[in-house]
Amino acid sequence: MKSLLIVAHGSRREASNEEVVDLAGRVAQQPGHDFDHVAAAFLEIAEPSIPDSLEHCVQKGASEVVIFPYFLAAGRHVVDDIPNEAAKVASKYPNVKFIIAGHLGMSAEIPQLIISSVESQGE
Amino acid sequence: MKSLLIVAHGSRREASNEEVVDLAGRVAQQPGHDFDHVAAAFLEIAEPSIPDSLEHCVQKGASEVVIFPYFLAAGRHVVDDIPNEAAKVASKYPNVKFIIAGHLGMSAEIPQLIISSVESQGE
């Protein structure tokens, strides 16, 4: 069983956190992927935390969890904090594969997405 | 003449700001768009500022400038600060059309981008 965990920073604005939870739902509904379970987690401020969410994935029976940093820039949160939070749980489950994917901002598709986003809103 | 201005928050990490400038270059190179000029600007911390960049677009001869907020969430920066910065310049040039596009995070293509991003890094 394969899980995808979308990790955002977490905001004091509850609506921002809800957007991320909603995003996880929309990702789950995309065609053509093989994740059995897609969820959202937050590095700071909001719940659920990364360790709690990873524990939840393992309890659901995940043999592989892909952690996707929903961040635009490769700052300290992406480079250090998310891997550190993930490591707290990963070390307890040597038989589960934990993979930290590249963050959103490094996607090669972003430039085309900006063009199509801007054009779809036309004048 | 049509300009596209990609507006990011601005970071103390110079590499983050350079990523945004580099992104503007990659957006300019995308096929199938009708922008004559694509540039980056920053709301805070880094240069060029939004007003300076908008002035630059007008000096280059833009008759239309689309401002794209490179932000994931519709927080205060997207809702208030970017429109306020743009308004400072827009009010000086009634013959130039200034359009504030929806921010990155509201793009309907993000869920599919997450799936393809995660899968392209797959095993």
Side-chain angles (χ1 to χ4, degrees):
Chain A
M1 190 200 137
K2 222 173 139 179
S3 292
L4 173 60
L5 193 65
I6 298 175
V7 174
H9 184 276
S11 169
R12 284 183 189 80
R13 278 180 73 246
E14 192 46 42
S16 270
N17 303 326
E18 282 164 13
E19 271 180 41
V20 180
V21 172
D22 178 67
L23 174 66
R26 283 183 290 135
V27 169
Q29 286 161 27
Q30 292 300 307
H33 69 78
D34 61 351
F35 292 101
D36 304 289
H37 168 238
V38 181
F42 300 94
L43 179 62
E44 296 177 357
I45 303 167
E47 293 286 331
S49 69
I50 297 171
D52 285 354
S53 294
L54 292 176
E55 289 281 359
H56 184 68
C57 293
V58 173
Q59 300 319 326
K60 279 180 87 82
S63 53
E64 181 176 322
V65 185
V66 177
I67 299 157
F68 179 76
Y70 188 59
F71 284 74
L72 290 177
R76 181 173 49 84
H77 291 322
V78 167
V79 175
D80 296 326
D81 300 342
I82 292 174
N84 288 344
E85 290 299 300
K88 291 179 189 172
V89 175
S91 59
K92 292 166 60 180
Y93 301 102
N95 296 328
V96 179
K97 193 167 172 182
F98 294 89
I99 298 167
I100 300 182
H103 64 289
L104 177 67
M106 73 173 278
S107 166
E109 294 176 45
I110 296 261
Q112 189 52 52
L113 183 146
I114 290 175
I115 290 296
S116 65
S117 174
V118 164
E119 302 215 323
S120 71
Q121 299 173 54
E123 303 101 85
Chain B
M1 189 197 135
K2 220 174 142 179
S3 292
L4 173 61
L5 193 65
I6 297 173
V7 173
H9 184 277
S11 170
R12 285 183 187 81
R13 278 180 72 248
E14 192 46 44
S16 270
N17 303 325
E18 283 164 13
E19 271 179 42
V20 180
V21 173
D22 178 67
L23 173 67
R26 284 182 289 137
V27 170
Q29 287 162 26
Q30 292 299 307
H33 69 79
D34 62 351
F35 292 101
D36 304 289
H37 167 236
V38 180
F42 301 94
L43 178 62
E44 297 177 356
I45 305 167
E47 293 287 329
S49 70
I50 297 170
D52 285 354
S53 294
L54 292 176
E55 289 281 358
H56 183 67
C57 293
V58 173
Q59 300 320 324
K60 281 180 86 86
S63 54
E64 180 177 323
V65 185
V66 178
I67 298 158
F68 178 77
Y70 188 59
F71 284 72
L72 290 177
R76 182 173 46 86
H77 292 322
V78 167
V79 175
D80 296 327
D81 299 343
I82 292 174
N84 288 345
E85 290 298 299
K88 291 179 188 173
V89 176
S91 59
K92 293 165 62 179
Y93 302 101
N95 296 328
V96 179
K97 191 168 172 182
F98 294 88
I99 298 166
I100 301 184
H103 65 289
L104 177 67
M106 72 173 276
S107 166
E109 295 177 45
I110 295 262
Q112 189 52 52
L113 183 145
I114 290 176
I115 291 296
S116 65
S117 174
V118 164
E119 302 215 321
S120 71
Q121 298 171 55
E123 308 98 81

PDB file of all heavy atoms in Angstrom, chain A residues 87-118:
ATOM      1  N   ALA A  87      12.353  11.763   9.614  1.00  0.00           N
ATOM      2  CA  ALA A  87      13.315  10.786  10.159  1.00  0.00           C
ATOM      3  C   ALA A  87      12.888  10.265  11.521  1.00  0.00           C
ATOM      4  O   ALA A  87      13.174   9.114  11.876  1.00  0.00           O
ATOM      5  CB  ALA A  87      14.702  11.422  10.236  1.00  0.00           C
ATOM      6  N   LYS A  88      12.151  11.107  12.286  1.00  0.00           N
ATOM      7  CA  LYS A  88      11.707  10.671  13.624  1.00  0.00           C
ATOM      8  C   LYS A  88      10.854   9.413  13.527  1.00  0.00           C
ATOM      9  O   LYS A  88      10.896   8.550  14.398  1.00  0.00           O
ATOM     10  CB  LYS A  88      10.839  11.768  14.274  1.00  0.00           C
ATOM     11  CG  LYS A  88      11.595  13.015  14.663  1.00  0.00           C
ATOM     12  CD  LYS A  88      10.612  14.052  15.271  1.00  0.00           C
ATOM     13  CE  LYS A  88      11.284  15.395  15.479  1.00  0.00           C
ATOM     14  NZ  LYS A  88      10.310  16.445  15.883  1.00  0.00           N
ATOM     15  N   VAL A  89      10.041   9.351  12.477  1.00  0.00           N
ATOM     16  CA  VAL A  89       9.153   8.194  12.317  1.00  0.00           C
ATOM     17  C   VAL A  89       9.829   7.095  11.498  1.00  0.00           C
ATOM     18  O   VAL A  89       9.711   5.905  11.812  1.00  0.00           O
ATOM     19  CB  VAL A  89       7.823   8.632  11.665  1.00  0.00           C
ATOM     20  CG1 VAL A  89       6.930   7.432  11.382  1.00  0.00           C
ATOM     21  CG2 VAL A  89       7.106   9.626  12.586  1.00  0.00           C
ATOM     22  N   ALA A  90      10.554   7.494  10.473  1.00  0.00           N
ATOM     23  CA  ALA A  90      11.167   6.509   9.567  1.00  0.00           C
ATOM     24  C   ALA A  90      12.073   5.541  10.327  1.00  0.00           C
ATOM     25  O   ALA A  90      12.098   4.335  10.041  1.00  0.00           O
ATOM     26  CB  ALA A  90      11.949   7.229   8.472  1.00  0.00           C
ATOM     27  N   SER A  91      12.785   6.048  11.331  1.00  0.00           N
ATOM     28  CA  SER A  91      13.740   5.188  12.049  1.00  0.00           C
ATOM     29  C   SER A  91      13.025   4.086  12.842  1.00  0.00           C
ATOM     30  O   SER A  91      13.621   3.068  13.165  1.00  0.00           O
ATOM     31  CB  SER A  91      14.601   6.039  12.983  1.00  0.00           C
ATOM     32  OG  SER A  91      13.765   6.714  13.907  1.00  0.00           O
ATOM     33  N   LYS A  92      11.740   4.287  13.123  1.00  0.00           N
ATOM     34  CA  LYS A  92      10.979   3.276  13.878  1.00  0.00           C
ATOM     35  C   LYS A  92      10.437   2.159  13.000  1.00  0.00           C
ATOM     36  O   LYS A  92      10.007   1.122  13.519  1.00  0.00           O
ATOM     37  CB  LYS A  92       9.775   3.957  14.585  1.00  0.00           C
ATOM     38  CG  LYS A  92      10.171   4.902  15.685  1.00  0.00           C
ATOM     39  CD  LYS A  92       9.004   5.800  16.107  1.00  0.00           C
ATOM     40  CE  LYS A  92       7.805   5.042  16.630  1.00  0.00           C
ATOM     41  NZ  LYS A  92       6.714   5.989  17.027  1.00  0.00           N
ATOM     42  N   TYR A  93      10.390   2.405  11.682  1.00  0.00           N
ATOM     43  CA  TYR A  93       9.759   1.425  10.778  1.00  0.00           C
ATOM     44  C   TYR A  93      10.699   1.089   9.623  1.00  0.00           C
ATOM     45  O   TYR A  93      10.499   1.556   8.493  1.00  0.00           O
ATOM     46  CB  TYR A  93       8.432   1.966  10.244  1.00  0.00           C
ATOM     47  CG  TYR A  93       7.444   2.297  11.334  1.00  0.00           C
ATOM     48  CD1 TYR A  93       7.232   3.613  11.740  1.00  0.00           C
ATOM     49  CD2 TYR A  93       6.743   1.279  11.999  1.00  0.00           C
ATOM     50  CE1 TYR A  93       6.346   3.920  12.760  1.00  0.00           C
ATOM     51  CE2 TYR A  93       5.848   1.582  13.022  1.00  0.00           C
ATOM     52  CZ  TYR A  93       5.661   2.899  13.395  1.00  0.00           C
ATOM     53  OH  TYR A  93       4.778   3.201  14.410  1.00  0.00           O
ATOM     54  N   PRO A  94      11.709   0.284   9.874  1.00  0.00           N
ATOM     55  CA  PRO A  94      12.698  -0.012   8.831  1.00  0.00           C
ATOM     56  C   PRO A  94      12.093  -0.748   7.624  1.00  0.00           C
ATOM     57  O   PRO A  94      12.686  -0.734   6.546  1.00  0.00           O
ATOM     58  CB  PRO A  94      13.738  -0.884   9.549  1.00  0.00           C
ATOM     59  CG  PRO A  94      13.057  -1.403  10.784  1.00  0.00           C
ATOM     60  CD  PRO A  94      12.035  -0.369  11.161  1.00  0.00           C
ATOM     61  N   ASN A  95      10.929  -1.363   7.802  1.00  0.00           N
ATOM     62  CA  ASN A  95      10.339  -2.102   6.675  1.00  0.00           C
ATOM     63  C   ASN A  95       9.428  -1.237   5.810  1.00  0.00           C
ATOM     64  O   ASN A  95       8.881  -1.705   4.822  1.00  0.00           O
ATOM     65  CB  ASN A  95       9.534  -3.309   7.174  1.00  0.00           C
ATOM     66  CG  ASN A  95      10.464  -4.300   7.858  1.00  0.00           C
ATOM     67  OD1 ASN A  95      11.632  -4.425   7.474  1.00  0.00           O
ATOM     68  ND2 ASN A  95       9.952  -4.984   8.882  1.00  0.00           N
ATOM     69  N   VAL A  96       9.231   0.020   6.207  1.00  0.00           N
ATOM     70  CA  VAL A  96       8.432   0.943   5.396  1.00  0.00           C
ATOM     71  C   VAL A  96       9.394   1.870   4.661  1.00  0.00           C
ATOM     72  O   VAL A  96      10.366   2.359   5.241  1.00  0.00           O
ATOM     73  CB  VAL A  96       7.454   1.754   6.281  1.00  0.00           C
ATOM     74  CG1 VAL A  96       6.642   2.730   5.430  1.00  0.00           C
ATOM     75  CG2 VAL A  96       6.531   0.817   7.056  1.00  0.00           C
ATOM     76  N   LYS A  97       9.096   2.082   3.382  1.00  0.00           N
ATOM     77  CA  LYS A  97       9.956   2.947   2.578  1.00  0.00           C
ATOM     78  C   LYS A  97       9.413   4.376   2.672  1.00  0.00           C
ATOM     79  O   LYS A  97       8.245   4.618   2.335  1.00  0.00           O
ATOM     80  CB  LYS A  97       9.876   2.445   1.135  1.00  0.00           C
ATOM     81  CG  LYS A  97      10.912   2.997   0.212  1.00  0.00           C
ATOM     82  CD  LYS A  97      10.901   2.149  -1.070  1.00  0.00           C
ATOM     83  CE  LYS A  97      11.769   2.744  -2.144  1.00  0.00           C
ATOM     84  NZ  LYS A  97      11.703   1.918  -3.375  1.00  0.00           N
ATOM     85  N   PHE A  98      10.246   5.304   3.124  1.00  0.00           N
ATOM     86  CA  PHE A  98       9.852   6.717   3.192  1.00  0.00           C
ATOM     87  C   PHE A  98      10.679   7.476   2.155  1.00  0.00           C
ATOM     88  O   PHE A  98      11.909   7.415   2.186  1.00  0.00           O
ATOM     89  CB  PHE A  98      10.112   7.281   4.593  1.00  0.00           C
ATOM     90  CG  PHE A  98       9.253   6.663   5.669  1.00  0.00           C
ATOM     91  CD1 PHE A  98       9.676   5.512   6.338  1.00  0.00           C
ATOM     92  CD2 PHE A  98       8.020   7.220   6.007  1.00  0.00           C
ATOM     93  CE1 PHE A  98       8.883   4.941   7.329  1.00  0.00           C
ATOM     94  CE2 PHE A  98       7.230   6.651   6.998  1.00  0.00           C
ATOM     95  CZ  PHE A  98       7.657   5.507   7.661  1.00  0.00           C
ATOM     96  N   ILE A  99      10.006   8.162   1.252  1.00  0.00           N
ATOM     97  CA  ILE A  99      10.695   8.882   0.170  1.00  0.00           C
ATOM     98  C   ILE A  99      10.323  10.354   0.267  1.00  0.00           C
ATOM     99  O   ILE A  99       9.138  10.691   0.333  1.00  0.00           O
ATOM    100  CB  ILE A  99      10.235   8.348  -1.206  1.00  0.00           C
ATOM    101  CG1 ILE A  99      10.611   6.875  -1.343  1.00  0.00           C
ATOM    102  CG2 ILE A  99      10.826   9.183  -2.339  1.00  0.00           C
ATOM    103  CD1 ILE A  99       9.926   6.189  -2.524  1.00  0.00           C
ATOM    104  N   ILE A 100      11.329  11.224   0.289  1.00  0.00           N
ATOM    105  CA  ILE A 100      11.026  12.661   0.264  1.00  0.00           C
ATOM    106  C   ILE A 100      11.187  13.148  -1.176  1.00  0.00           C
ATOM    107  O   ILE A 100      12.282  13.105  -1.738  1.00  0.00           O
ATOM    108  CB  ILE A 100      11.922  13.438   1.236  1.00  0.00           C
ATOM    109  CG1 ILE A 100      11.685  12.886   2.660  1.00  0.00           C
ATOM    110  CG2 ILE A 100      11.609  14.934   1.177  1.00  0.00           C
ATOM    111  CD1 ILE A 100      12.450  13.579   3.738  1.00  0.00           C
ATOM    112  N   ALA A 101      10.091  13.552  -1.773  1.00  0.00           N
ATOM    113  CA  ALA A 101      10.101  14.008  -3.170  1.00  0.00           C
ATOM    114  C   ALA A 101      10.648  15.438  -3.252  1.00  0.00           C
ATOM    115  O   ALA A 101      10.726  16.146  -2.251  1.00  0.00           O
ATOM    116  CB  ALA A 101       8.679  13.959  -3.734  1.00  0.00           C
ATOM    117  N   GLY A 102      11.013  15.856  -4.461  1.00  0.00           N
ATOM    118  CA  GLY A 102      11.418  17.249  -4.675  1.00  0.00           C
ATOM    119  C   GLY A 102      10.242  18.179  -4.388  1.00  0.00           C
ATOM    120  O   GLY A 102       9.087  17.795  -4.571  1.00  0.00           O
ATOM    121  N   HIS A 103      10.530  19.376  -3.936  1.00  0.00           N
ATOM    122  CA  HIS A 103       9.470  20.312  -3.580  1.00  0.00           C
ATOM    123  C   HIS A 103       8.774  20.869  -4.832  1.00  0.00           C
ATOM    124  O   HIS A 103       9.317  20.811  -5.936  1.00  0.00           O
ATOM    125  CB  HIS A 103      10.024  21.447  -2.708  1.00  0.00           C
ATOM    126  CG  HIS A 103      11.029  22.305  -3.401  1.00  0.00           C
ATOM    127  ND1 HIS A 103      12.306  21.876  -3.717  1.00  0.00           N
ATOM    128  CD2 HIS A 103      10.958  23.584  -3.864  1.00  0.00           C
ATOM    129  CE1 HIS A 103      12.959  22.848  -4.328  1.00  0.00           C
ATOM    130  NE2 HIS A 103      12.161  23.890  -4.426  1.00  0.00           N
ATOM    131  N   LEU A 104       7.592  21.435  -4.620  1.00  0.00           N
ATOM    132  CA  LEU A 104       6.776  21.935  -5.739  1.00  0.00           C
ATOM    133  C   LEU A 104       7.555  22.867  -6.668  1.00  0.00           C
ATOM    134  O   LEU A 104       7.489  22.747  -7.885  1.00  0.00           O
ATOM    135  CB  LEU A 104       5.556  22.680  -5.176  1.00  0.00           C
ATOM    136  CG  LEU A 104       4.631  23.319  -6.208  1.00  0.00           C
ATOM    137  CD1 LEU A 104       3.930  22.249  -7.029  1.00  0.00           C
ATOM    138  CD2 LEU A 104       3.615  24.223  -5.530  1.00  0.00           C
ATOM    139  N   GLY A 105       8.284  23.817  -6.082  1.00  0.00           N
ATOM    140  CA  GLY A 105       8.958  24.845  -6.880  1.00  0.00           C
ATOM    141  C   GLY A 105       9.969  24.303  -7.864  1.00  0.00           C
ATOM    142  O   GLY A 105      10.335  24.985  -8.816  1.00  0.00           O
ATOM    143  N   MET A 106      10.463  23.068  -7.642  1.00  0.00           N
ATOM    144  CA  MET A 106      11.454  22.535  -8.574  1.00  0.00           C
ATOM    145  C   MET A 106      10.819  21.809  -9.760  1.00  0.00           C
ATOM    146  O   MET A 106      11.527  21.355 -10.655  1.00  0.00           O
ATOM    147  CB  MET A 106      12.470  21.645  -7.862  1.00  0.00           C
ATOM    148  CG  MET A 106      11.959  20.313  -7.425  1.00  0.00           C
ATOM    149  SD  MET A 106      13.328  19.265  -6.781  1.00  0.00           S
ATOM    150  CE  MET A 106      14.015  18.613  -8.309  1.00  0.00           C
ATOM    151  N   SER A 107       9.499  21.736  -9.792  1.00  0.00           N
ATOM    152  CA  SER A 107       8.848  21.059 -10.920  1.00  0.00           C
ATOM    153  C   SER A 107       9.137  21.785 -12.231  1.00  0.00           C
ATOM    154  O   SER A 107       8.961  22.999 -12.340  1.00  0.00           O
ATOM    155  CB  SER A 107       7.339  20.994 -10.701  1.00  0.00           C
ATOM    156  OG  SER A 107       6.713  20.648 -11.926  1.00  0.00           O
ATOM    157  N   ALA A 108       9.549  21.022 -13.213  1.00  0.00           N
ATOM    158  CA  ALA A 108       9.859  21.598 -14.529  1.00  0.00           C
ATOM    159  C   ALA A 108       8.602  22.086 -15.231  1.00  0.00           C
ATOM    160  O   ALA A 108       8.683  22.787 -16.240  1.00  0.00           O
ATOM    161  CB  ALA A 108      10.573  20.560 -15.394  1.00  0.00           C
ATOM    162  N   GLU A 109       7.431  21.730 -14.689  1.00  0.00           N
ATOM    163  CA  GLU A 109       6.179  22.127 -15.346  1.00  0.00           C
ATOM    164  C   GLU A 109       5.652  23.490 -14.896  1.00  0.00           C
ATOM    165  O   GLU A 109       4.661  23.982 -15.425  1.00  0.00           O
ATOM    166  CB  GLU A 109       5.096  21.071 -15.078  1.00  0.00           C
ATOM    167  CG  GLU A 109       5.412  19.737 -15.735  1.00  0.00           C
ATOM    168  CD  GLU A 109       4.377  18.682 -15.370  1.00  0.00           C
ATOM    169  OE1 GLU A 109       3.173  18.978 -15.414  1.00  0.00           O
ATOM    170  OE2 GLU A 109       4.789  17.562 -15.022  1.00  0.00           O
ATOM    171  N   ILE A 110       6.301  24.077 -13.889  1.00  0.00           N
ATOM    172  CA  ILE A 110       5.796  25.353 -13.362  1.00  0.00           C
ATOM    173  C   ILE A 110       5.737  26.464 -14.434  1.00  0.00           C
ATOM    174  O   ILE A 110       4.726  27.168 -14.524  1.00  0.00           O
ATOM    175  CB  ILE A 110       6.632  25.817 -12.141  1.00  0.00           C
ATOM    176  CG1 ILE A 110       6.471  24.823 -10.987  1.00  0.00           C
ATOM    177  CG2 ILE A 110       6.291  27.248 -11.742  1.00  0.00           C
ATOM    178  CD1 ILE A 110       5.495  25.206  -9.919  1.00  0.00           C
ATOM    179  N   PRO A 111       6.769  26.632 -15.258  1.00  0.00           N
ATOM    180  CA  PRO A 111       6.672  27.726 -16.248  1.00  0.00           C
ATOM    181  C   PRO A 111       5.453  27.586 -17.166  1.00  0.00           C
ATOM    182  O   PRO A 111       4.734  28.562 -17.407  1.00  0.00           O
ATOM    183  CB  PRO A 111       7.990  27.617 -17.026  1.00  0.00           C
ATOM    184  CG  PRO A 111       8.951  27.014 -16.032  1.00  0.00           C
ATOM    185  CD  PRO A 111       8.121  26.017 -15.250  1.00  0.00           C
ATOM    186  N   GLN A 112       5.189  26.358 -17.625  1.00  0.00           N
ATOM    187  CA  GLN A 112       4.032  26.175 -18.510  1.00  0.00           C
ATOM    188  C   GLN A 112       2.729  26.396 -17.743  1.00  0.00           C
ATOM    189  O   GLN A 112       1.764  26.948 -18.273  1.00  0.00           O
ATOM    190  CB  GLN A 112       4.071  24.783 -19.156  1.00  0.00           C
ATOM    191  CG  GLN A 112       3.032  24.595 -20.245  1.00  0.00           C
ATOM    192  CD  GLN A 112       3.063  25.700 -21.311  1.00  0.00           C
ATOM    193  OE1 GLN A 112       4.105  25.998 -21.873  1.00  0.00           O
ATOM    194  NE2 GLN A 112       1.924  26.349 -21.564  1.00  0.00           N
ATOM    195  N   LEU A 113       2.714  25.983 -16.475  1.00  0.00           N
ATOM    196  CA  LEU A 113       1.521  26.190 -15.654  1.00  0.00           C
ATOM    197  C   LEU A 113       1.243  27.687 -15.473  1.00  0.00           C
ATOM    198  O   LEU A 113       0.089  28.123 -15.493  1.00  0.00           O
ATOM    199  CB  LEU A 113       1.711  25.510 -14.298  1.00  0.00           C
ATOM    200  CG  LEU A 113       0.531  25.568 -13.335  1.00  0.00           C
ATOM    201  CD1 LEU A 113       0.475  24.286 -12.494  1.00  0.00           C
ATOM    202  CD2 LEU A 113       0.635  26.752 -12.404  1.00  0.00           C
ATOM    203  N   ILE A 114       2.289  28.478 -15.300  1.00  0.00           N
ATOM    204  CA  ILE A 114       2.093  29.930 -15.146  1.00  0.00           C
ATOM    205  C   ILE A 114       1.464  30.502 -16.416  1.00  0.00           C
ATOM    206  O   ILE A 114       0.490  31.259 -16.355  1.00  0.00           O
ATOM    207  CB  ILE A 114       3.428  30.634 -14.804  1.00  0.00           C
ATOM    208  CG1 ILE A 114       3.858  30.254 -13.384  1.00  0.00           C
ATOM    209  CG2 ILE A 114       3.306  32.155 -14.959  1.00  0.00           C
ATOM    210  CD1 ILE A 114       5.213  30.795 -12.964  1.00  0.00           C
ATOM    211  N   ILE A 115       1.993  30.106 -17.563  1.00  0.00           N
ATOM    212  CA  ILE A 115       1.429  30.604 -18.830  1.00  0.00           C
ATOM    213  C   ILE A 115      -0.030  30.192 -18.961  1.00  0.00           C
ATOM    214  O   ILE A 115      -0.901  31.034 -19.254  1.00  0.00           O
ATOM    215  CB  ILE A 115       2.255  30.096 -20.035  1.00  0.00           C
ATOM    216  CG1 ILE A 115       3.634  30.767 -20.060  1.00  0.00           C
ATOM    217  CG2 ILE A 115       1.513  30.331 -21.347  1.00  0.00           C
ATOM    218  CD1 ILE A 115       3.624  32.267 -20.260  1.00  0.00           C
ATOM    219  N   SER A 116      -0.322  28.925 -18.715  1.00  0.00           N
ATOM    220  CA  SER A 116      -1.714  28.502 -18.943  1.00  0.00           C
ATOM    221  C   SER A 116      -2.641  29.113 -17.905  1.00  0.00           C
ATOM    222  O   SER A 116      -3.794  29.438 -18.192  1.00  0.00           O
ATOM    223  CB  SER A 116      -1.840  26.980 -18.998  1.00  0.00           C
ATOM    224  OG  SER A 116      -1.517  26.412 -17.762  1.00  0.00           O
ATOM    225  N   SER A 117      -2.127  29.313 -16.696  1.00  0.00           N
ATOM    226  CA  SER A 117      -2.932  29.931 -15.646  1.00  0.00           C
ATOM    227  C   SER A 117      -3.274  31.381 -16.000  1.00  0.00           C
ATOM    228  O   SER A 117      -4.428  31.818 -15.892  1.00  0.00           O
ATOM    229  CB  SER A 117      -2.129  29.864 -14.343  1.00  0.00           C
ATOM    230  OG  SER A 117      -2.785  30.551 -13.322  1.00  0.00           O
ATOM    231  N   VAL A 118      -2.290  32.102 -16.459  1.00  0.00           N
ATOM    232  CA  VAL A 118      -2.487  33.517 -16.810  1.00  0.00           C
ATOM    233  C   VAL A 118      -3.402  33.645 -18.028  1.00  0.00           C
ATOM    234  O   VAL A 118      -4.294  34.495 -18.067  1.00  0.00           O
ATOM    235  CB  VAL A 118      -1.117  34.178 -17.081  1.00  0.00           C
ATOM    236  CG1 VAL A 118      -1.278  35.485 -17.804  1.00  0.00           C
ATOM    237  CG2 VAL A 118      -0.358  34.372 -15.780  1.00  0.00           C
TER     238      VAL A 118
END
